[in-house]
Amino acid sequence: MATNILEVNMYRYNPEEDKFPYIKQYQIEKPAKDIMVLDLLHLLKEQDESISYRRSCREGVCGSDGMNINGKNGLACITPISSVLKKNKIELRPLPGLPVIRDLVVDMTEFYAQYEKIKPFLQNSTTAPEQERLQSPEDRDKLDGLYECILCACCSTSCPSFWWNPDKFLGPAALLQAYRFLADTRDLKTNERLEDLSDPFSVYRCHGIMNCVSVCPKGLNPNKAIGEIKKMLLKDKKEIITTDGAMN
Amino acid sequence: MTNYNSSNIKTLEFDALIIGGGGSGMRASLELAKSGLNTAVVSKVFPTRSHTVSAQGGITCAIQSADPNDDWRWHMYDTVKGADYIGDQDAIEYLCSEGPKAVFELEHMGLPFSRFENGRIYQRPFGGQSKDYGKGGQAARTCAAADRTGHALLHTLYQNNVKEGTNFLNEWFAVDIVKNAQNEVTGVIAFSIEYGEVAYLKAQSTVMATGGAGRIYASTTNALINTGDGLAMALRAGYPAQDMEMWQFHPTGIYGAGSLVTEGCRGEGGYLINKDGERFMERYAPNVKDLAGRDVVARSMVLEILEGRGCGENNDHIYLKLDHLGADVLNAKLPGICELSRTFAHVDPIYEPIPVVPTCHYMMGGTPTNINGQAFNRIDRTDSIIPGLFAAGEAACVSVHGANRLGGNSLLDLVVFGRATGMFIQEDLKSGGGVKSADKDDIDNALDRLNTLNNSDSGYETAEVKKELQQCMQNYFGVFRRGEFMKKGLDELQEIREKVDQLHLKDKSNAFNTSRVEAIELQNLFEVAEATAIAAYSRDESRGAHARDDFPDRDDERWLCHSLYDPLSKTVSKRDVNFNPSEVEAFPPIVRTY
């Protein structure tokens, strides 16, 4: 009997009613076939209309439903319950480290602010040709593994360095995009971009903890991108030293 | 709860207001933000969560990359034919001839298109594409960023809006149109999902860029947010909808889950097989086989299933075979599909075929507009512009897709007409255009629905009524339609209407109350579903996506025209199709075969 019942422990908080957040336990019959965590949330919401969470595409491309599932960040819509169940139990919490608006919904203002800081748009002030700017397939390949980011915030909110300095350390998601534009042969502001990243916090607070890599639902590797940025910053510094001559 | 009225809510004023942060909305806002007009984008989700993000295969446009001799007129011919001749040819001409400019702009903005060896944008073959007006064989005209073109496009547009400093009202939900005594649109009532604050968003120009409403069906490729909000607001305000019977069923939705599998799979060489392993499209479309129009392929699949040749235990789906393309091609060209297939079909396309089934995908109909995005009403059988109201993208019916959209034409539609709408509003407002103010009663009227819902203390549950609605549409208004069945469906809709009008919102809280949003979304879905049902019942012929068992032939004498649904009388009238392109000769209707 007991094996047919799922126990879902959910973080609940409604700022208009609750002084403090609490964990609410739901019992639900285990569905006959494996379903996604998002489907489970839909079933629970039919029981209890007051549950709040974000969702949109339900196929892992829009990045709305990042949450902490049994201790690990992931997208509810592409996480099968079979992959996270522990003794028929699931614990659902909001993404860690950001202010909670309600239940599983976090305030992502800080996360988006860091994204905007890296100037996430192509900068090229040369006159655009009548057709497209050319780019070789090899150069275009350099953007693979970078441009696919869906801004779900699973990585940045799993990063202890981001928890510690969410205003000064850009976090893995923003840094992945910083490198996406550094790597793009069509972008001409490489030096300015590097200059913006050269302070002790923006990039250098990454200590290679690698939580970002282990949680990214798109299989991307922000840690590698950060490594590339660090290499570029070092090279940049060396060049400055060499051309300057004074420090030789 | 206290009732909202014009004196207890605040007013936020803009020059231009764009409802919807998807491709068309953000292309329009980019144009307006650059012009210096005070513009706001109202989006119920953070803009990069809009449904444009799910578009996969690409954006079709004659940029002469795969073929230096390609011609936008050939693209126009294909689009007119694909539309089964009820697409407006002036609009299709504008779409295809302006297209290259709009696509190159996207590249200049940074969109990471895939590339050919010569460095130009990669283009792949898609269904319904030809060279030389159907005489020169298959064309490859769809520009792609791997199989994540929509994602790349949407993020690029958001990034450029950030660059231009566009004003975003993210996670705000528009409820109803405010119109003044002159029947002009002066903005919308909206609320902040995050805090529940209600406001009158006042504007000289209001653009509905709210996308489609695929969630009227039980099985759809559409995101959960595709609930036709803008179209429903326009219908409730008494403005018409055009060609609502025309819904595209995409041949390849993942069986069971509904997620889209791009037509690009077949463009890259994949094909459909039945349970006998037969490539059955050779029988239905001997020339182009699996790359026939989507309506043709979807119907062929349903016929295979109905005749007992479907795959699986219940013979209820079809297989899409890709393994013969090899791991290298699949990983390079279709990585997103491999990922989706593994997640939702538990199948690795490198080794096994993907189970697929025709799934509701796209709304060809919508708020009727001209090529400037201006919405219009029909008064005394002539088009009459509705001052202040615009629509673009899937929410609009301009009409470039007619009775059946070609793959890759939706992304082009978004950027071309989002851009055109932005450019028109900019010129219009700078030359003194605009609308008169609404008075207190006008604002109060637009708050009615929200107040009724907030004060509901009994009634029906949103989730249950939504399921009923979706099942009704799925059963009676699907790939094949028949008069007597549709009549039953219309009767059921009458009953559902009563429930939709009496939804019970138990949770009255303000902070991120998704139940309130979902209740209003259901009411929106209903308006769209009802328009669809009445239009489908009225058109007694088969054309494009609208296939009737009881009227299997196209009837150009009676139905070479748009249907126009009037929400006040709930009747359908006819409107002429435009056959007057400015630079080329019109393409006359001929029998459509592939």
Side-chain angles (χ1 to χ4, degrees):
Chain A
M1 267 304 283
T3 52
N4 289 331
I5 301 294
L6 279 186
E7 186 184 309
V8 184
N9 291 298
M10 194 188 305
Y11 179 103
R12 300 296 315 267
Y13 174 66
N14 180 344
E16 291 162 89
E17 289 168 11
D18 307 319
K19 208 166 171 192
F20 299 104
Y22 61 100
I23 297 289
K24 183 163 177 179
Q25 194 180 96
Y26 295 89
Q27 308 248 335
I28 187 166
E29 205 172 313
K30 201 171 172 179
K33 58 169 195 170
D34 197 10
I35 60 171
M36 299 295 175
V37 172
L38 181 64
D39 300 319
L40 179 65
L41 276 165
H42 292 335
L43 292 174
L44 292 172
K45 193 167 168 69
E46 283 176 22
Q47 279 182 24
D48 179 353
E49 161 176 308
S50 71
I51 299 170
S52 187
Y53 50 93
R54 291 188 175 103
R55 83 288 180 281
S56 172
C57 77
R58 61 79 174 92
E59 58 187 17
V61 294
C62 81
S64 295
D65 60 353
M67 58 187 67
N68 190 275
I69 305 162
N70 271 356
K72 190 173 173 183
N73 290 355
L75 296 180
C77 62
I78 54 169
T79 303
I81 53 173
S82 63
S83 71
V84 288
L85 266 187
K86 282 178 191 156
K87 294 182 181 167
N88 276 336
K89 285 184 191 174
I90 294 186
E91 187 165 287
L92 299 175
R93 290 171 172 269
L95 290 174
L98 294 176
V100 174
I101 295 172
R102 172 170 175 175
D103 300 341
L104 301 173
V105 178
V106 291
D107 182 347
M108 294 176 73
T109 311
E110 218 153 33
F111 173 79
Y112 296 136
Q114 298 301 63
Y115 173 66
E116 289 192 15
K117 247 190 229 171
I118 64 103
K119 302 198 177 82
F121 39 81
L122 193 84
Q123 298 184 78
N124 184 330
S125 50
T126 61
T127 310
E130 227 164 83
Q131 299 189 330
E132 71 270 44
R133 290 195 165 96
L134 299 181
Q135 187 174 46
S136 70
E138 293 72 33
D139 282 341
R140 167 59 184 76
D141 284 351
K142 293 174 187 162
L143 308 182
D144 282 342
L146 307 172
Y147 82 97
E148 300 94 322
C149 172
I150 57 173
L151 299 177
C152 64
C154 285
C155 62
S156 292
T157 61
S158 72
C159 172
S161 298
F162 187 74
W163 296 339
W164 201 246
N165 293 111
D167 53 339
K168 287 189 268 183
F169 173 54
L170 291 169
L175 288 168
L176 187 75
Q177 290 317 295
Y179 185 60
R180 177 248 175 275
F181 288 99
L182 285 168
D184 196 324
T185 49
R186 300 170 298 170
D187 190 282
L188 302 181
K189 294 282 184 188
T190 308
N191 290 336
E192 291 82 347
R193 289 183 186 278
L194 288 173
E195 181 59 36
D196 287 347
L197 296 168
S198 61
D199 65 281
F201 281 91
S202 297
V203 180
Y204 289 113
R205 286 289 136 157
C206 168
H207 301 306
I209 298 165
M210 305 270 272
N211 281 359
C212 55
V213 184
S214 90
V215 299
C216 177
K218 304 307 285 182
L220 309 178
N221 190 333
N223 195 67
K224 189 170 163 220
I226 294 168
E228 296 297 332
I229 297 175
K230 285 180 179 171
K231 268 195 258 174
M232 287 178 92
L233 282 167
L234 281 173
K235 191 162 161 268
D236 192 41
K237 199 143 270 171
K238 242 196 243 160
E239 268 165 19
I240 293 166
I241 293 166
T242 325
T243 48
D244 189 6
M247 292 180 74
N248 276 345
Chain B
M1 281 185 76
T2 49
N3 268 339
Y4 293 110
N5 61 53
S6 56
S7 50
N8 65 11
I9 63 168
K10 74 174 178 188
T11 300
L12 300 172
E13 198 169 343
F14 305 96
D15 296 322
L17 193 59
I18 292 161
I19 317 295
S24 65
M26 287 208 289
R27 187 61 191 83
S29 66
L30 187 59
E31 211 59 41
L32 290 161
K34 279 195 280 192
S35 77
L37 288 171
N38 180 16
T39 310
V41 176
V42 180
S43 181
K44 64 179 176 179
V45 293
F46 183 76
T48 63
R49 328 269 184 227
S50 306
H51 187 54
T52 305
V53 82
S54 291
Q56 298 170 350
I59 176 164
T60 302
C61 189
I63 60 161
Q64 302 177 317
S65 171
D67 174 5
N69 298 315
D70 199 8
D71 192 317
W72 66 261
R73 293 167 193 86
W74 301 349
H75 180 200
M76 177 175 173
Y77 166 84
D78 292 342
T79 304
V80 169
K81 176 185 170 188
D84 221 347
Y85 300 95
I86 61 161
D88 287 324
Q89 296 202 14
D90 58 339
I92 298 175
E93 179 184 45
Y94 185 81
L95 175 82
C96 300
S97 60
E98 283 290 298
K101 222 183 285 174
V103 169
F104 293 138
E105 281 170 3
L106 288 171
E107 194 284 330
H108 298 155
M109 288 179 212
L111 200 156
F113 281 112
S114 301
R115 302 285 173 155
F116 283 121
E117 277 306 319
N118 65 5
R120 293 209 59 193
I121 293 172
Y122 174 74
Q123 291 184 295
R124 60 163 55 110
F126 249 55
Q129 291 179 357
S130 76
K131 299 181 183 185
D132 196 17
Y133 309 104
K135 298 187 290 270
Q138 177 73 41
R141 196 174 288 133
T142 301
C143 312
D147 57 358
R148 303 186 177 102
T149 316
H151 169 279
L153 186 151
L154 190 68
H155 280 254
T156 301
L157 284 176
Y158 179 67
Q159 291 161 353
N160 280 268
N161 273 282
V162 167
K163 183 181 174 189
E164 299 298 337
T166 303
N167 191 6
F168 283 100
L169 294 175
N170 289 334
E171 296 185 326
W172 274 70
F173 186 67
V175 179
D176 263 317
I177 284 175
V178 177
K179 54 177 190 172
N180 63 21
Q182 291 78 27
N183 216 16
E184 300 170 330
V185 172
T186 66
V188 295
I189 296 297
F191 65 84
S192 145
I193 297 173
E194 203 172 327
Y195 300 112
E197 182 188 21
V198 179
Y200 166 36
L201 307 181
K202 183 182 172 187
Q204 299 301 319
S205 303
T206 302
V207 184
M208 294 299 173
T210 47
R215 287 280 152 185
I216 63 170
Y217 289 97
S219 170
T220 174
T221 64
N222 283 196
L224 293 156
I225 59 170
N226 285 26
T227 52
D229 303 335
L231 177 56
M233 282 188 265
L235 286 168
R236 272 194 301 268
Y239 303 129
Q242 183 170 269
D243 296 338
M244 287 309 297
E245 66 277 30
M246 301 302 177
W247 281 85
Q248 179 164 83
F249 288 79
H250 196 290
T252 55
I254 291 181
Y255 171 69
S259 299
L260 173 68
V261 177
T262 176
E263 187 169 307
C265 291
R266 284 169 284 137
E268 297 288 350
Y271 56 85
L272 298 163
I273 53 174
N274 60 21
K275 73 167 182 187
D276 305 320
E278 183 204 2
R279 185 175 181 182
F280 58 85
M281 280 312 297
E282 288 177 335
R283 274 188 278 120
Y284 296 93
N287 296 320
V288 299
K289 305 180 181 93
D290 296 79
L291 289 178
R294 286 178 176 173
D295 54 334
V296 175
V297 180
R299 276 194 293 278
S300 308
M301 292 168 73
V302 173
L303 287 174
E304 287 298 299
I305 292 169
L306 289 175
E307 287 167 13
R309 291 190 294 277
C311 306
E313 248 174 57
N314 301 317
N315 305 112
D316 59 354
H317 55 273
I318 294 292
Y319 282 142
L320 173 63
K321 186 173 149 50
L322 294 173
D323 58 297
H324 58 286
L325 300 178
D328 289 347
V329 170
L330 291 176
N331 288 330
K333 303 280 173 57
L334 302 165
I337 291 307
C338 294
E339 203 181 304
L340 275 174
S341 176
R342 287 174 200 132
T343 308
F344 288 103
H346 309 295
V347 153
D348 189 336
I350 293 171
Y351 307 105
E352 291 171 274
I354 309 175
V356 292
V357 73
T359 305
C360 167
H361 183 56
Y362 188 85
M363 173 175 88
M364 269 79 74
T367 298
T369 71
N370 61 22
I371 60 172
N372 297 321
Q374 294 175 282
F376 55 79
N377 211 336
R378 228 16 210 175
I379 296 170
D380 298 332
R381 293 188 171 194
T382 50
D383 299 345
S384 161
I385 297 291
I386 303 163
L389 185 64
F390 297 79
E394 192 170 343
C397 181
V398 50
S399 128
V400 289
H401 310 305
N404 172 63
R405 174 172 72 75
L406 291 189
N409 267 357
S410 60
L411 290 185
L412 189 65
D413 175 5
L414 300 185
V415 292
V416 167
F417 291 104
R419 178 174 173 269
T421 305
M423 292 192 304
F424 177 82
I425 291 174
Q426 185 185 328
E427 278 180 28
D428 183 46
L429 293 186
K430 288 191 171 165
S431 59
V435 292
K436 296 189 179 65
S437 287
D439 64 26
K440 284 185 167 204
D441 287 347
D442 302 326
I443 298 166
D444 290 344
N445 285 340
L447 280 160
D448 262 0
R449 201 160 58 100
L450 186 60
N451 283 330
T452 306
L453 188 66
N454 282 340
N455 290 313
S456 61
D457 49 18
S458 65
Y460 297 92
E461 291 198 15
T462 300
E464 273 175 32
V465 181
K466 195 193 302 176
K467 276 184 201 162
E468 257 181 74
L469 175 69
Q470 292 170 332
Q471 208 50 56
C472 172
M473 295 306 290
Q474 192 78 26
N475 290 347
Y476 303 114
F477 302 94
V479 175
F480 284 103
R481 297 160 177 184
R482 186 183 298 173
E484 50 185 307
F485 289 150
M486 287 195 284
K487 187 80 193 51
K488 259 172 99 176
L490 282 164
D491 291 343
E492 276 186 28
L493 282 177
Q494 278 310 311
E495 292 166 27
I496 298 171
R497 158 71 80 182
E498 283 175 31
K499 297 179 185 172
V500 166
D501 287 342
Q502 299 173 57
L503 293 178
H504 180 204
L505 179 68
K506 282 182 232 154
D507 180 0
K508 305 284 202 291
S509 61
N510 288 309
F512 228 98
N513 183 345
T514 53
S515 296
R516 180 177 289 125
V517 174
E518 286 177 22
I520 299 173
E521 285 177 334
L522 171 59
Q523 294 174 335
N524 291 341
L525 285 172
F526 185 84
E527 298 297 340
V528 176
E530 186 175 56
T532 299
I534 293 174
Y537 187 68
S538 302
R539 189 182 281 270
D540 49 4
E541 65 150 358
S542 288
R543 180 185 300 274
H546 179 64
R548 287 192 56 165
D549 285 347
D550 44 355
F551 295 92
D553 298 319
R554 197 173 85 187
D555 183 351
D556 283 348
E557 224 164 275
R558 293 171 59 237
W559 283 109
L560 185 64
C561 60
H562 296 293
S563 73
L564 206 72
Y565 168 75
D566 171 13
L568 300 174
S569 63
K570 299 196 178 179
T571 55
V572 169
S573 59
K574 296 177 179 179
R575 179 173 169 263
D576 288 344
V577 171
N578 181 292
F579 281 95
N580 293 308
S582 58
E583 276 183 48
V584 295
E585 292 266 317
F587 297 104
I590 52 169
V591 177
R592 183 167 163 255
T593 54
Y594 285 102

